[in-house]
Amino acid sequence: MSAGGDPLPLLAALAVSIEALVDLTGPGHYLDWRFIQISGANFAVIVLMLVVFALALFLPFPGGRKR
Amino acid sequence: MSQTPASGRAGERSTWTGWLRAHTLDAIPPEHLLPDTQPAYVASWIYVFGVLALTAFVVVCVSGLVIALKGPTWWQVSSRGHFVNSLHLWSVELFFFFMVVHLWGKFFMAAWRGRRALTWMTGAVTFLASIGTAFTGYLVQQNFDSQWISTQAKDGINATGIGAFWNVLDFGQMLLWHVALLPLAVSVLIVLHILLVRTSGVVPPIGVDLDGRVEGAAAKEAAP
C-alpha cells in the first residue's frame, strides 16, 4: 500500500496496523513513505511501544505516594 | 576433620575457595543481592520494564527447551506443538517489546551516571546478542519461511563481508548458535547486568538524589 498521496496518511497507517493486528493469516501489508517501508504489524508494535512508554511515565504507580 | 567457624575475612583468604568467597561477599554483599527495600523513586512504572523483559526471557527459555525436546515434527504438526511454538514466538515479541521500552527509559534517564557505565554496556550488548539469537531463530523453524529468510539473509550477510564466518545457509551451524551459543551468551550477560544493577543500585531519575528528593533541596532546608 502506498500512503504517499493520502491526505491522512497517519489514519491510513493506523487502519492498516489494526488490520494487521486482526488478520495475521493473509499476506503482509506494507506502508510506504518515500524511502521508508515498514510492515503494518511492525508499525503497530512501534506505536504501541511509544504509547506504553508514555503511559509508564505519566501513570501513577500503585502505593508510590506512601513511600 | 572438624569444621571451624569463620572468624574473619583474613583467615579465609589462605585457600582459593576462601579467597573467592571473601571477594564475592565484598563485591556483592547479600543485602545488596537480595534487598528488602528500594529507593522511593523506583515506585514508577518506567522501572518495571527490566523485570518484565527478564520474565519474558524465562518464558522464552522454557518454551524453547520444550520445543527442542519434542522436535520439529511435533512443533509443526501437533496442536500442542503449535501452541508451544507460538508461545516461544510471542514471548520473544514481548521480550523485545519490554527490552526496548526499558532501553528508552534508561537512555533518557542517562542510566550510565554514577559509575554505572558497565551496567549500560552489558545491557546494550545483551540487546545486540538477543537480536542475533532471534534472527537465528527465524532460520531454524524448518519451514518454507525459514528457507526464504535464510536466502535473503545470505545476501545481506555477504554484503557485510562476514559471510565466510557466518553462513546462514548452514542449518547445523545456525541451530547450534540459536539453541546453545547465543542463549548462553544472553543468559550470562543478563546475570552480569543484574549483578551490576544490584551492586551499583538502581539509577535515580535526573535531578533526584538517592533519597528520592530533588537535588539541592536538603541543602536549602538546612540553610538558615
Side-chain angles (χ1 to χ4, degrees):
Chain A
M1 174 197 165
S2 174
D6 198 318
L8 296 170
L10 196 63
L11 280 179
L14 194 64
V16 170
S17 303
I18 291 168
E19 192 181 340
L21 276 175
V22 174
D23 179 18
L24 295 173
T25 55
H29 300 277
Y30 281 81
L31 305 167
D32 197 353
W33 294 295
R34 296 174 184 269
F35 58 90
I36 297 172
Q37 189 188 44
I38 187 170
S39 70
N42 280 345
F43 183 78
V45 169
I46 291 169
V47 170
L48 195 59
M49 282 194 296
L50 288 168
V51 169
V52 168
F53 181 65
L55 288 175
L57 291 179
F58 295 111
L59 280 184
F61 193 78
R65 289 184 180 179
K66 295 176 187 170
R67 299 184 190 210
Chain B
M1 184 179 165
S2 64
Q3 294 277 346
T4 53
S7 56
R9 298 278 166 87
E12 294 175 354
R13 294 174 197 262
S14 57
T15 60
W16 75 267
T17 48
W19 179 88
L20 186 63
R21 185 173 64 246
H23 271 261
T24 306
L25 287 172
D26 285 344
I28 317 163
E31 62 271 20
H32 282 202
L33 192 62
L34 295 169
D36 310 288
T37 58
Q38 287 289 342
Y41 56 77
V42 177
S44 163
W45 286 111
I46 201 65
Y47 282 98
V48 170
F49 291 93
V51 79
L52 282 177
L54 179 65
T55 309
F57 182 70
V58 171
V59 180
V60 171
C61 290
V62 172
S63 57
L65 279 172
V66 173
I67 60 177
L69 281 169
K70 301 292 282 186
T73 307
W74 180 76
W75 84 60
Q76 297 285 12
V77 175
S78 73
S79 56
R80 285 185 184 177
H82 281 156
F83 174 76
V84 179
N85 194 29
S86 298
L87 192 66
H88 193 60
L89 168 75
W90 287 106
S91 53
V92 170
E93 299 280 351
L94 286 175
F95 176 55
F96 276 94
F97 188 105
F98 295 139
M99 192 161 46
V100 168
V101 178
H102 178 62
L103 171 68
W104 288 346
K106 296 304 160 189
F107 176 77
F108 288 111
M109 219 180 273
W112 48 84
R113 289 172 297 135
R115 301 177 66 82
R116 292 180 177 87
L118 201 56
T119 314
W120 171 263
M121 285 187 269
T122 51
V125 177
T126 306
F127 184 52
L128 294 175
S130 302
I131 292 172
T133 316
F135 278 2
T136 51
Y138 282 121
L139 303 175
V140 297
Q141 297 174 89
Q142 297 255 28
N143 56 16
F144 289 127
D145 191 32
S146 60
Q147 288 185 22
W148 169 260
I149 292 169
S150 61
T151 51
Q152 297 297 304
K154 176 255 297 173
D155 293 338
I157 290 287
N158 284 345
T160 67
I162 58 169
F165 306 99
W166 183 274
N167 184 4
V168 293
L169 294 177
D170 186 339
F171 175 77
Q173 186 189 17
M174 290 304 106
L175 184 65
L176 284 172
W177 276 89
H178 181 68
V179 303
L181 299 175
L182 286 170
L184 184 66
V186 173
S187 301
V188 169
L189 284 163
I190 287 175
V191 168
L192 196 58
H193 186 69
I194 293 169
L195 287 176
L196 285 164
V197 171
R198 290 303 191 198
T199 50
S200 306
V202 181
V203 68
I206 293 171
V208 173
D209 65 17
L210 291 173
D211 296 320
R213 292 185 299 188
V214 176
E215 280 176 354
K220 282 181 185 173
E221 286 171 12

